[in-house]
Amino acid sequence: MSASTTEPLIRGEDDGLRIQDDRSTNNDIEVDESALVAPGAFIWALTVCAGVSGLLFGYDTGVISSTLVSIGSDLSSRPLSTLDKSLITSCTSLFALIASPITGVLADHWGRKRVILVADVLFVVGALWQAVTGSVWAMIGGRSVVGLAVGSASFVVPLYISELSPSPFRGKLVTISALFITGGQVVAYIIGWLFSTYSHGWRWVVGLGALPAAIQFLFLQFMPETPRWLVQANQKELAKKVLSRVYGNTEDIQDLVSVILRQVEKEIYEEEDAAAERSASQAPKQGWRAKMARVNDHLTQLVTVGGNRRALIIACMLQGFQQLCGFNSLMYFSATIFAMVGFESPTLTSLSIALTNFVFTLVASFTIEKIGRRRILLLSVPIMILGLGLCSVAFNYVDIPSEEALLEYRTGDRVWAVVILIAMVTYVAGYAIGMGNVPWQQSELFPLSVRSVGSGISTATNWASNLLIGITFLPMMELLTPVGTFALYAGICIVGWFTIWRIYPELGGLSLERVGELLKEGWNVEESIKQARLRKLEARQKKTRGAT
Ligand SMILES: O[C@H]1[C@H](O)[C@@H](O)[C@H](O)[C@@H](O)[C@H]1O
């Protein structure tokens, strides 16, 4: 817990906090968090409270599978057409895609917490709207409001957790939010299945989503803003209080808290100075024009500054592959696939997909810090390729009935149907361990000045790819056949593996401010691996020293 700088100066008089003004020095600030053993109760509580948004994200995306088959003629007094089903499913992804870059900007102005609050209001409105709706178009409206909520929550929750958590536990705690997503999907599958026999039961299923959102809304009143946003908003005293609660209040820890604050401040000062230099030649702007100019400046910085651009490429690449590898086609259509290959109870069989996803995300939360983000991806993507390859081969041996005959079809080749199930479970396990959660670590890639905007854009990439997969899956199953479709997803995973291997450095255990430095001059993959090894070695040595 040391800072290599000396002579702290007092900057500003707003809160009397003794913080080094690093405009005057080029010294590095070293934050050493390796002595921290486990996340404290406070950060756990915050992660769980924020994670409820993930639960809603999972619930509202998972619920559609059972809702579509239970609606019957409840909407517009007619059965749903294929177009109705596609629109009801994809409008959520479309509106999530629209919401994420916008909330990316808003989270900078309003703060991270207020975006979670707004998402909660949208979750409640969307859930109740769907529950009472009478027509197909009104249902599409309700699903779109939910889409706005899902888009905002999916971007802001990992950002919130990542800015609050101590570096050694950041990977684990952000993975917990992914665990909530997959847990929400399991709950949605189970509740959907339980209510499927009641007439109009689907209205309860979609309406229930309002409850956790309303509870979270109440809890949020007691949750703090992130220290990093608070420093940016010039509320340093409050930022210090939050950090102290996250890290603990011992004297030793207070030194560490001060060093972290100084590091955050240093980053902000450097960015402020650079922004002032850039705008020196322009006429000063006021009000919303000033705000727009700031957003514009952030977007320009995101693309033109090498380190930011690299961060954006990595974040969008990971989010793109997370969806283009085809996982959500199973989430949305696994029941259809299992019916196709002849399973007696396709909805129940498809629960195995959601459960595997949940269980292996749980495994990831225990292992990600030990194995590392990069390594966990490089090890798990081949498992996905294996599952998809096996699936593609197995489909060669199963007779697929025409769509009309689908409901009566129950006599597929049992052995190959089971092979398909095993292959899919293998694929999902591989996905959940790496691809399903590592991309949500996206916020750590960006420096504070462009973190919110950058995370918003990469979340939008996730939803754009999600939309693409949702729309193309069924047509591809016809045009390319299941063999071709799953082979294509395997091919995408192969490309994904090579791209990750080439450009994604190991970022586990680095402070958010250090990540920026790593990407400044290049991808620095080799260097990052070396540093990660060193960090591990040091941590091990400290432990042994502590034990003796
Ligand atoms: O991380 C989540 C998770 O893997 C979900 O199961 C999936 O449906 C989402 O698309 C993804 O973003």
Side-chain angles (χ1 to χ4, degrees):
M1 277 168 241
S2 65
S4 57
T5 43
T6 50
E7 277 285 299
L9 302 169
I10 298 174
R11 175 186 150 74
E13 293 174 355
D14 51 341
D15 54 19
L17 196 65
R18 285 174 67 81
I19 290 174
Q20 168 90 34
D21 183 342
D22 281 290
R23 284 173 209 251
S24 58
T25 118
N26 286 324
N27 289 347
D28 269 353
I29 298 174
E30 279 305 328
V31 178
D32 180 3
E33 298 175 70
S34 60
L36 301 173
V37 193
F42 186 60
I43 183 68
W44 269 119
L46 293 182
T47 305
V48 170
C49 286
V52 173
S53 301
L55 185 90
L56 289 161
F57 163 7
Y59 187 80
D60 278 301
T61 50
V63 93
I64 197 63
S65 152
S66 68
T67 305
L68 286 183
V69 292
S70 328
I71 284 179
S73 301
D74 284 359
L75 296 178
S76 305
S77 314
R78 60 172 169 79
L80 294 179
S81 67
T82 311
L83 181 66
D84 294 338
K85 286 185 187 173
S86 308
L87 288 176
I88 290 173
T89 312
S90 47
C91 67
T92 307
S93 314
L94 178 66
F95 277 80
L97 162 63
I98 295 170
S100 36
I102 298 175
T103 38
V105 172
L106 291 179
D108 258 347
H109 292 285
W110 293 350
R112 296 22 176 158
K113 200 179 112 174
R114 225 174 278 169
V115 172
I116 305 184
L117 273 174
V118 173
D120 275 339
V121 174
L122 291 169
F123 271 125
V124 173
V125 172
L128 299 180
W129 180 335
Q130 291 177 84
V132 298
T133 202
S135 73
V136 171
W137 280 105
M139 181 71 176
I140 293 172
R143 295 289 306 160
S144 303
V145 174
V146 165
L148 291 176
V150 168
S152 318
S154 61
F155 135 79
V156 80
V157 171
L159 173 65
Y160 181 80
I161 297 176
S162 153
E163 285 193 338
L164 272 160
S165 42
S167 315
F169 320 123
R170 195 174 59 239
K172 184 192 188 85
L173 296 175
V174 174
T175 309
I176 299 288
S177 75
L179 191 64
F180 272 97
I181 303 174
T182 55
Q185 288 169 335
V186 173
V187 174
Y189 268 50
I190 294 175
I191 293 194
W193 171 60
L194 288 178
F195 276 79
S196 61
T197 47
Y198 296 98
S199 70
H200 314 304
W202 66 270
R203 291 191 185 275
W204 284 100
V205 179
V206 289
L208 269 176
L211 197 64
I215 295 175
Q216 190 191 42
F217 188 91
L218 297 178
F219 271 104
L220 265 172
Q221 317 304 323
F222 306 102
M223 287 161 67
E225 235 331 318
T226 75
R228 280 155 176 99
W229 187 82
L230 286 169
V231 174
Q232 204 171 27
N234 223 13
Q235 300 182 40
K236 283 171 268 170
E237 192 54 40
L238 206 53
K240 191 179 183 199
K241 273 192 192 136
V242 176
L243 275 176
S244 304
R245 291 199 69 187
V246 167
Y247 282 81
N249 252 329
T250 63
E251 204 177 301
D252 217 22
I253 289 294
Q254 284 312 303
D255 289 347
L256 174 63
V257 165
S258 298
V259 176
I260 293 172
L261 274 174
R262 280 170 32 200
Q263 197 189 39
V264 177
E265 276 219 321
K266 180 175 183 265
E267 197 190 338
I268 292 173
Y269 295 160
E270 283 173 357
E271 164 55 25
E272 275 175 6
D273 287 350
E277 224 168 85
R278 287 195 297 273
S279 62
S281 56
Q282 296 161 11
K285 296 184 179 73
Q286 300 294 330
W288 68 269
R289 277 178 210 278
K291 283 188 180 147
M292 289 309 290
R294 213 171 133 213
V295 172
N296 206 3
D297 184 49
H298 284 169
L299 286 172
T300 315
Q301 291 308 300
L302 195 57
V303 186
T304 53
V305 175
N308 298 349
R309 189 173 54 244
R310 272 175 220 110
L312 186 66
I313 292 174
I314 295 174
C316 291
M317 177 272 292
L318 290 176
Q319 289 288 18
F321 280 122
Q322 183 193 75
Q323 297 300 320
L324 296 175
C325 68
F327 170 77
N328 279 309
S329 49
L330 297 193
M331 199 71 230
Y332 304 145
F333 304 109
S334 55
T336 315
I337 301 172
F338 291 136
M340 215 186 254
V341 298
F343 277 97
E344 294 289 334
S345 176
T347 1
L348 205 57
T349 316
S350 65
L351 188 59
S352 61
I353 298 294
L355 271 175
T356 309
N357 192 23
F358 175 74
V359 170
F360 281 86
T361 310
L362 186 66
V363 174
S365 72
F366 286 114
T367 49
I368 189 162
E369 295 296 6
K370 280 184 211 114
I371 302 180
R373 290 108 163 105
R374 174 186 159 85
R375 203 137 71 97
I376 214 168
L377 278 176
L378 292 179
L379 292 173
S380 61
V381 173
I383 301 175
M384 294 167 68
I385 298 170
L386 180 77
L388 287 168
L390 186 60
C391 218
S392 173
V393 171
F395 267 112
N396 266 312
Y397 301 96
V398 182
D399 278 337
I400 304 296
S402 68
E403 214 179 315
E404 299 78 57
L406 212 61
L407 292 178
E408 293 89 59
Y409 183 83
R410 290 284 179 265
T411 52
D413 183 333
R414 290 269 168 255
V415 177
W416 286 107
V418 171
V419 173
I420 287 175
L421 176 62
I422 294 173
M424 282 186 180
V425 166
T426 309
Y427 161 67
V428 173
Y431 168 85
I433 283 203
M435 234 358 149
N437 66 77
V438 175
W440 290 119
Q441 310 279 348
Q442 59 188 10
S443 321
E444 70 185 10
L445 287 155
F446 300 99
L448 185 57
S449 59
V450 292
R451 184 171 299 146
S452 184
V453 179
S455 308
I457 293 178
S458 45
T459 307
T461 310
N462 177 297
W463 288 108
S465 316
N466 179 305
L467 184 62
L468 186 69
I469 286 296
I471 292 176
T472 53
F473 178 69
L474 290 178
M476 266 181 13
M477 289 284 272
E478 260 187 31
L479 279 174
L480 300 181
T481 73
V483 177
T485 305
F486 285 94
L488 180 66
Y489 290 152
I492 291 172
C493 287
I494 294 173
V495 178
W497 191 91
F498 277 106
T499 321
I500 292 162
W501 175 71
R502 185 79 191 81
I503 69 170
Y504 185 39
E506 185 53 75
L507 306 176
L510 280 182
S511 76
L512 290 178
E513 290 67 31
R514 277 274 175 257
V515 173
E517 280 164 30
L518 190 79
L519 288 171
K520 243 181 204 158
E521 305 301 335
W523 303 109
N524 269 330
V525 172
E526 288 297 316
E527 177 60 26
S528 73
I529 298 173
K530 237 189 272 165
Q531 285 184 16
R533 275 200 203 120
L534 262 177
R535 274 196 303 279
K536 258 193 195 157
L537 201 72
E538 275 171 16
R540 223 174 287 150
Q541 280 169 350
K542 256 187 198 159
K543 238 187 213 167
T544 347
R545 249 181 276 140
T548 53

